[in-house]
Amino acid sequence: MIFSAFSSRHLSRLASAALVLMLPALAAASYAEREDARAFIAELTARHDFDPAALDRALARARHDPSVIRLITPPAHKGARSWQNYRARFLDRTRIDGGLAFWEAHAATLQRAANQYGVPAEIIVAILGVETMYGRHTGDFETLSALATLAFDYPPRAELFRRELEALFLLAREQGRDPASYSGSFAGALGYPQFLPSSVRAYAVDFDGDGRVDFDRDPSDAIGSVANYLHAHGWQAGAPVAERARVAPGADTAPLLAAGIEPALAPDILASAGIGPLDGRAAAATATLVDLETPGAATEYWLGYRNFYVITRYNRSSFYAMSVFELAEALRLRRLVDAMRSARNRP
């Protein structure tokens, strides 16, 4: 029962603290010389018929990056989450103006993606806006070293990142690239859409038809790939994403919130609990109840439908999904208003 006395967060902190003491030794050692990395090379060689010497050379070039460990480690003392603070990071004028410019520059590609995958252009633009400010901030960490650091020197999530390191080697082979040629976020996410290597392999599409997937220079492949990702995870064309909820005074929201992020609450269940859209009608479909808390302010309640859940497959956070949705709505409405003004001003 000793394990039950510690949360995974406590274990993560203890592991990270131990790593701080080991950093000098880790930084000096080549991954190719380490027993765990050599076992990894043997596994990949057996599973995917890699040349072990090529993997050995690649891992010999990878370097432990302590900043990767620092950035991925949860803070020792988390402050209260604030929806208003989180929202303000993505619903500002710079991101809205940038989104409108991006939409204008790539309107034809966005429309083609919307037609092919059923995902509205504004949702695609909003995801790229939240992820990388439309490609401006894609990260400058060497992906091979970042993933090696996390795969071998970050025990709390080593299994996940060994899978991503494996996917990076497979991706590099498929694309005919040097594994060390990729760069991105500290967690190994790549390019405009910040796909991890496994997601690139599973969901990336050559949307401009040039024979390769390029997430670094031209957003066309990213636009198609984001749409394909959402489509593959169950996006429902023309269906609602979310709407603000009315919660009757004294309603017990706890059991509804405990139902989880995947929509499981039928309209009649919500209605019987005193919850529905602001205009008093029944919920449009089976939903999840989303609570967006801000310290010192009233909690915002929303009904999240299937498409809201699909956005959380991109990043498993209701704050993230709501930021994407609200940015998408802001972009859609601004574009509509601008079009109406332009029409009025025509001679």
Side-chain angles (χ1 to χ4, degrees):
M1 299 301 291
I2 293 177
F3 179 81
S4 64
F6 291 89
S7 69
S8 59
R9 187 183 303 167
H10 289 134
L11 290 174
S12 174
R13 291 175 192 156
L14 289 172
S16 299
L19 278 173
V20 171
L21 300 176
M22 298 163 57
L23 287 182
L26 290 170
S30 163
Y31 282 110
E33 297 170 358
R34 288 176 42 169
E35 209 171 300
D36 51 357
R38 299 201 67 78
F40 176 77
I41 289 173
E43 289 172 15
L44 266 59
T45 300
R47 206 157 40 231
H48 304 295
D49 196 28
F50 274 109
D51 175 3
L55 295 178
D56 186 272
R57 287 192 298 273
L59 283 179
R61 293 155 63 194
R63 289 291 175 262
H64 175 86
D65 188 341
S67 66
V68 166
I69 300 295
R70 176 176 53 79
L71 288 167
I72 206 165
T73 301
H77 302 288
K78 278 192 174 182
R81 297 182 75 214
S82 169
W83 162 238
Q84 289 182 8
N85 288 345
Y86 187 97
R87 181 185 186 278
R89 291 163 52 194
F90 304 110
L91 272 291
D92 60 6
R93 180 165 184 174
T94 299
R95 211 166 301 249
I96 292 171
D97 288 347
L100 291 170
F102 182 89
W103 195 340
E104 182 67 25
H106 304 286
T109 303
L110 287 159
Q111 188 58 55
R112 183 160 60 90
N115 293 342
Q116 183 169 335
Y117 296 107
V119 180
E122 62 266 23
I123 293 290
I124 302 170
V125 175
I127 283 181
L128 295 175
V130 169
E131 290 291 337
T132 61
M133 185 71 90
Y134 317 106
R136 294 183 207 171
H137 308 302
T138 59
D140 56 4
F141 287 84
E142 182 198 286
T143 305
L144 176 62
S145 290
L147 288 177
T149 299
L150 294 168
F152 301 118
D153 297 328
Y154 187 61
R157 301 181 71 187
E159 184 178 349
L160 164 67
F161 287 110
R162 288 194 191 196
R163 290 197 301 269
E164 292 303 331
L165 182 58
E166 177 178 1
L168 177 68
F169 282 122
L170 289 166
L171 179 65
R173 182 168 70 178
E174 291 160 0
Q175 295 187 337
R177 287 179 59 172
D178 182 341
S181 69
Y182 296 86
S183 63
S185 78
F186 66 85
L190 302 170
Y192 274 85
Q194 293 292 277
F195 276 17
L196 288 170
S198 62
S199 290
V200 178
R201 297 187 67 235
Y203 304 108
V205 294
D206 172 19
F207 206 57
D208 59 7
D210 67 353
R212 64 194 179 98
V213 171
D214 178 10
F215 282 171
D216 297 326
R217 287 169 288 278
D218 189 310
S220 298
D221 291 345
I223 288 169
S225 298
V226 168
N228 181 50
Y229 184 97
L230 297 175
H231 172 77
H233 283 80
W235 186 273
Q236 298 176 344
V241 176
E243 60 182 329
R244 192 73 177 265
R246 170 190 50 79
V247 177
D252 183 8
T253 61
L256 303 179
L257 294 169
I261 193 64
E262 186 167 6
L265 304 172
D268 59 333
I269 292 175
L270 288 164
S272 65
I275 295 169
L278 289 179
D279 61 8
R281 59 186 167 77
T286 299
T288 182
L289 183 62
V290 179
D291 60 332
L292 304 176
E293 295 181 313
T294 299
T299 297
E300 286 186 28
Y301 289 98
W302 288 73
L303 297 174
Y305 297 110
R306 175 57 56 175
N307 286 341
F308 183 86
Y309 174 73
V310 171
I311 297 173
T312 69
R313 300 309 86 194
Y314 207 103
N315 181 313
R316 302 191 176 206
S317 159
S318 57
F319 277 22
Y320 175 90
M322 189 57 67
S323 291
V324 167
F325 173 62
E326 290 207 356
L327 178 58
E329 285 295 283
L331 292 169
R332 182 181 66 82
L333 292 173
R334 267 283 304 275
R335 190 172 163 87
L336 181 62
V337 168
D338 288 350
M340 292 172 63
R341 286 175 177 163
S342 177
R344 278 203 308 266
N345 292 334
R346 285 195 201 107

